[in-house]
Amino acid sequence: MRVRKVVTRSGKRFRGKFPSRKLNRMVHWESLLERDAIYHFEYHPLVISYQEQPSIEIYYDALGKQHRYFPDFRLNLMDGSEIYIEVKPARFLATKKVQEKLQAVATRFEEQARQFRVMTEVEIRRQPLFANLIQIHKSSKRAAQIEPDTQMIKTLSGGPRWTLSDLCKKLLGIGQVLRLVRSKHLRVNLEASLSDDTEVWLADAHGGCNGSFYI
């Protein structure tokens, strides 16, 4: 549950909602950069769930004065750990005030043995990853569900690894392949450009990489 309201009708900032299949609800964002970060959380196979505006945190500045802080997101990972995320344009990190605040926040999280990370457009919109995430979102959304994902996986032969071209033929198009990537049944290296020769593997394949990209 959000600890503060995100979307309002007033103000000049971009605000909106992301239709999350992973969470089965609308996720509120209050900047285009936050919206783009959500693609990472939505399609990373090790992120089980995530929450926008998850908590009110207390931190202390250099003089010991207490302040409140609202993380942008909390990620819940497959191994049971959590990561708190601040989304911030890189240009803001050059200012002393922001640097001091985020350092104080990071120190407080470290004292509490919790993970805290700042994501800028450099990480969020890096290519070819970001283009691949957008392609997964659009292609898998358009792909009609021919049969349940688990049943489609059972019908595959010749695995546990294939080329993207081979799977597109077996599953009648890239949309079906990316839908299975989205549902975490298949893995692909999303840090590389997708091509006919791109390797695709079963999620539980021995030696396969569980996480398909770095957050």
Side-chain angles (χ1 to χ4, degrees), residues 19-36:
S20 171
R21 296 186 183 91
K22 180 173 284 187
L23 304 181
N24 195 31
R25 67 174 178 85
M26 302 299 288
V27 178
H28 295 70
W29 51 264
E30 56 182 353
S31 74
L32 294 179
L33 192 57
E34 281 192 11
R35 179 203 63 187
D36 292 348

Side-chain angles (χ1 to χ4, degrees), residues 6 15 27 53 85 96-97 114 117 123 129 138 148 152 160 169 181 187 190 206:
V6 174
R15 294 175 171 87
V27 178
Q53 304 295 330
I85 300 289
K96 183 178 179 180
K97 182 178 181 180
R114 294 190 293 166
R117 190 167 300 162
E123 296 83 25
L129 172 63
K138 292 182 178 180
M152 291 184 69
K169 294 175 183 177
V181 171
R187 296 282 194 271
L190 293 172
H206 179 70

Side-chain angles (χ1 to χ4, degrees), residues 162-165 188-189 192-201:
W162 303 266
T163 65
L164 182 58
S165 176
V188 62
N189 179 12
S193 297
L194 299 181
S195 69
D196 288 346
D197 296 326
T198 293
E199 187 177 52
V200 186
W201 63 92

Side-chain angles (χ1 to χ4, degrees), residues 59-78:
Y59 72 96
Y60 300 88
D61 63 23
L63 299 177
K65 184 178 180 181
Q66 180 177 294
H67 299 270
R68 295 199 309 170
Y69 166 67
F70 298 86
D72 291 322
F73 296 95
R74 183 188 63 239
L75 312 184
N76 299 95
L77 306 185
M78 187 178 292

Side-chain angles (χ1 to χ4, degrees), residues 37-161:
I38 290 173
Y39 287 102
H40 290 245
F41 314 149
E42 183 74 11
Y43 296 115
H44 198 292
L46 300 187
V47 175
I48 301 303
S49 63
Y50 57 96
Q51 173 67 57
E52 73 276 33
Q53 304 295 330
S55 58
I56 302 174
E57 304 292 336
I58 301 298
Y59 72 96
Y60 300 88
D61 63 23
L63 299 177
K65 184 178 180 181
Q66 180 177 294
H67 299 270
R68 295 199 309 170
Y69 166 67
F70 298 86
D72 291 322
F73 296 95
R74 183 188 63 239
L75 312 184
N76 299 95
L77 306 185
M78 187 178 292
D79 63 3
S81 63
E82 297 178 342
I83 302 177
Y84 288 80
I85 300 289
E86 170 73 16
V87 176
K88 188 74 69 179
R91 68 182 185 276
F92 291 169
L93 300 183
T95 65
K96 183 178 179 180
K97 182 178 181 180
V98 172
Q99 288 178 1
E100 291 177 346
K101 173 184 176 180
L102 292 180
Q103 182 57 57
V105 170
T107 297
R108 183 61 173 165
F109 271 86
E110 185 177 1
E111 291 171 348
Q112 297 172 334
R114 294 190 293 166
Q115 296 187 71
F116 174 74
R117 190 167 300 162
V118 179
M119 296 181 70
T120 71
E121 68 273 17
V122 176
E123 296 83 25
I124 294 170
R125 293 172 179 162
R126 69 184 185 272
Q127 298 295 347
L129 172 63
F130 188 62
N132 290 337
L133 295 176
I134 296 297
Q135 186 175 2
I136 287 178
H137 183 73
K138 292 182 178 180
S139 297
S140 60
K141 183 178 180 180
R142 290 194 296 263
Q145 186 165 346
I146 299 174
E147 55 185 317
D149 292 353
T150 53
Q151 187 60 38
M152 291 184 69
I153 289 295
K154 290 179 181 178
T155 63
L156 291 179
S157 61
R161 295 173 180 270

